[in-house]
Amino acid sequence: MVRRHRPTPERILRCPQCRSTDVFTDVTMFSGALYTCKQCGYKGPFILEEDVPSQPPPLPEGSSEDLP
Ligand SMILES: [Zn+2]
């Protein structure tokens, strides 16, 4: 197995302007993190973060989908 064990779920960054995930993180000493979007050229401290669950959540059993 080449994959590393990740205790925390992986996250993807999404551009708040064009919703692209082609976003880079620039960390500066003074202002913290700056994000740069490769698609629309957006640059700023605000970005959308989405969790990427490693496994899909289990479906609840005995739900209303169980029609007789
Ligand atoms: Zn963008």
Side-chain angles (χ1 to χ4, degrees):
M1 297 293 281
V2 188
R3 280 192 179 186
R4 295 177 184 174
H5 177 69
R6 290 170 182 255
T8 55
E10 199 168 346
R11 284 191 172 180
I12 57 174
L13 302 177
R14 192 178 289 274
C15 174
Q17 283 194 358
C18 69
R19 300 291 175 129
S20 170
T21 56
D22 207 353
V23 175
F24 289 95
T25 306
D26 275 330
V27 181
T28 65
M29 292 171 56
F30 304 102
S31 56
L34 277 179
Y35 302 98
T36 303
C37 176
K38 210 176 176 183
Q39 290 293 320
C40 69
Y42 165 81
K43 205 169 192 177
F46 178 73
I47 206 71
L48 299 176
E49 280 189 36
E50 292 183 4
D51 288 333
V52 182
S54 56
Q55 297 177 8
L59 295 175
E61 294 183 15
S63 62
S64 59
E65 289 187 12
D66 284 333
L67 297 176

